[in-house]
Every structure is written in structure tokens, then in C-alpha cells.
Amino acid sequence: MAGRDASPPRQTLRRRHRSSGSLDDFCDDRSPSPLPHIHRNRWVATFTYVTNCAAGWALTKLFVSIVEQSRYGLGVFLLTLLPRLNRLSHLVLRWPLLVLVYALVGVELILYFLLRTLVAALELAVASPTHRRLRSALRRADDYAQWLACARALDASRGVALWQADLRSTRYNWPFVRRLRARLRTARSQNDWRGVADTLRLCSRPNVGGIMAPELFAVSYAGAPKIVVTDFVDEVCSQRP
């Protein structure tokens, strides 16, 4: 009786052991491995990603082609509409624009003549008889020598020499020009030909120190600039040893 009573628990334990499994069952080489399922899921995900990328690229190309075709169609429509608009604007705006342009030109001419008349009246009122005589002689000069003599006489009567002697001006870099002139004279007096060549290399730059500023030549009737500029140019062009 004891053996019969002990057999059912043993069978029950064996059934539970078989149903639950053991560590040996999991480590057995004959048990199925989950790796093929994992690899199959990865291949499916990769295929889905590539398919989505291809579909997105195709949709993008389709959208771009639609936009280009619509733009081309809009351009053709505007080109076909342009002659009609041109004809319409020509008929509607031709005379108003013509009248406006001629009116602006007429107003500018009137203002120009008024300004020139005012300047001439001020010159007649302020200028001395000597200035009037020299201006008249300047306008009636037959050659350049006569014109230059009248211009220099007019500059002398106006006191332009004081302006020429003053080195200071914001129109050019007068300290730099004066240093270059002094450096060139010193190098020539000491027979330093390498220093002369270096200084002349600096002096050969376009508009060195701003000596070609138009304001420096507009004060004088003869077109003479500051004295330092004239001396600088003479020193550069000098061929003395």
C-alpha cells in the first residue's frame, strides 16, 4: 500500500518536470534556436526601409517634375499674354508718360538757366573790374600760352597762392607726400640709389597719397594744385644725380 500510494506523486513530479523543462533541455543542441526568426525579422525591416526610400525618391521626382511643368506652363502663358499687355499699356500710358518726361526735362532746363543767371549776377555784383577784365581776356584767348597767362594773373588777383602754400587739406594725405619728397631728396643727396629706387617704387603707385584728387585742381583757374604736390611731382620727375 505504501508503494502504491507513493507512485502517483512520483508520476506527478515527472510530468511537471517534463512540462516545465530543465536547464539541460534549453542547452541541448537538438532544441530549436530563435536566431532564424531574428534574422528573418531583420531582413523584413531592411526590405521595408529600402522600399520606403525608393517610394519617397519616386514621389519627390514626381513632385519636382510637376512643379517644373507648371512653371513652364505659367511662363508660356505670360509670354503669350505679354504682347497684349504691351499693346494695351502703349495705348493707355503713351501720352501721359511722354508729357511727364518732357515736363521733367523742361523743369530741369528752367532751373539750370535760373541758376546760371543767378551765378552770373553774383559774379558781376561781387567781382572787381580787374576780375571782369581778366575773365573776359580768358574767354577771348587765342592760344594756350595766352590762356595760361590770363589764368595765372586771375589766380594771383584772387589770392590762390595762400591756398597753395597751405599744406593742410583733407583731400589728400599731405604728411605722407611730404615724407616721400624728403626721403627722395635725402637719398639722392647721399647717392643712395637703392633708397632712390625704393622710394620711386612707392611713388609710382596710382594716385599715391591722393595727389590726383579733383578738388586739388578745381580751386585755381590754371589748375595748379598745392605747392607740396607740385614739388613732389617735380622731384619724382627730376633726373639730377
Side-chain angles (χ1 to χ4, degrees), residues 21-179:
S22 62
L23 183 61
D24 296 335
D25 294 335
F26 286 104
C27 298
D28 192 2
D29 295 336
R30 292 173 299 176
S31 61
S33 176
L35 292 178
H37 301 282
I38 296 175
H39 288 300
R40 185 168 61 250
N41 293 334
R42 288 183 179 179
W43 281 111
V44 170
T46 304
F47 178 75
T48 305
Y49 176 75
V50 173
T51 307
N52 292 335
C53 291
W57 179 80
L59 291 176
T60 304
K61 293 292 291 184
L62 179 62
F63 178 74
V64 170
S65 62
I66 292 173
V67 171
E68 290 180 353
Q69 291 179 2
S70 63
R71 186 184 303 173
Y72 176 76
L74 181 60
V76 172
F77 175 74
L78 292 177
L79 288 177
T80 56
L81 188 63
L82 185 60
R84 301 178 183 178
L85 294 177
N86 189 11
R87 189 180 303 109
L88 181 62
S89 62
H90 174 72
L91 293 176
V92 174
L93 302 176
R94 177 178 59 179
W95 291 109
L97 288 177
L98 189 63
V99 171
L100 179 62
V101 169
Y102 277 105
L104 291 176
V105 172
V107 169
E108 289 182 356
L109 287 175
I110 292 173
L111 292 177
Y112 173 76
F113 282 116
L114 290 176
L115 182 61
R116 294 303 302 173
T117 304
L118 179 61
V119 170
L122 290 176
E123 287 181 352
L124 290 175
V126 177
S128 62
T130 305
H131 292 170
R132 297 174 188 174
R133 178 177 55 82
L134 290 174
R135 289 198 188 97
S136 179
L138 191 66
R139 288 191 297 266
R140 294 194 306 268
D142 297 330
D143 53 4
Y144 177 73
Q146 185 178 359
W147 178 89
L148 184 60
C150 295
R152 288 177 176 175
L154 188 59
D155 291 338
S157 64
R158 293 176 59 245
V160 180
L162 296 177
W163 174 83
Q164 291 177 344
D166 188 9
L167 305 180
R168 295 170 298 177
S169 178
T170 58
R171 303 300 181 181
Y172 73 111
N173 191 358
W174 61 272
F176 178 69
V177 174
R178 186 173 61 178
R179 285 197 303 268

Side-chain angles (χ1 to χ4, degrees), residues 213-236:
E215 292 81 5
L216 295 177
F217 302 90
V219 178
S220 171
Y221 276 92
K226 298 279 189 178
I227 294 177
V228 64
V229 176
T230 305
D231 294 344
F232 172 74
V233 175
D234 293 341
E235 188 67 30
V236 170

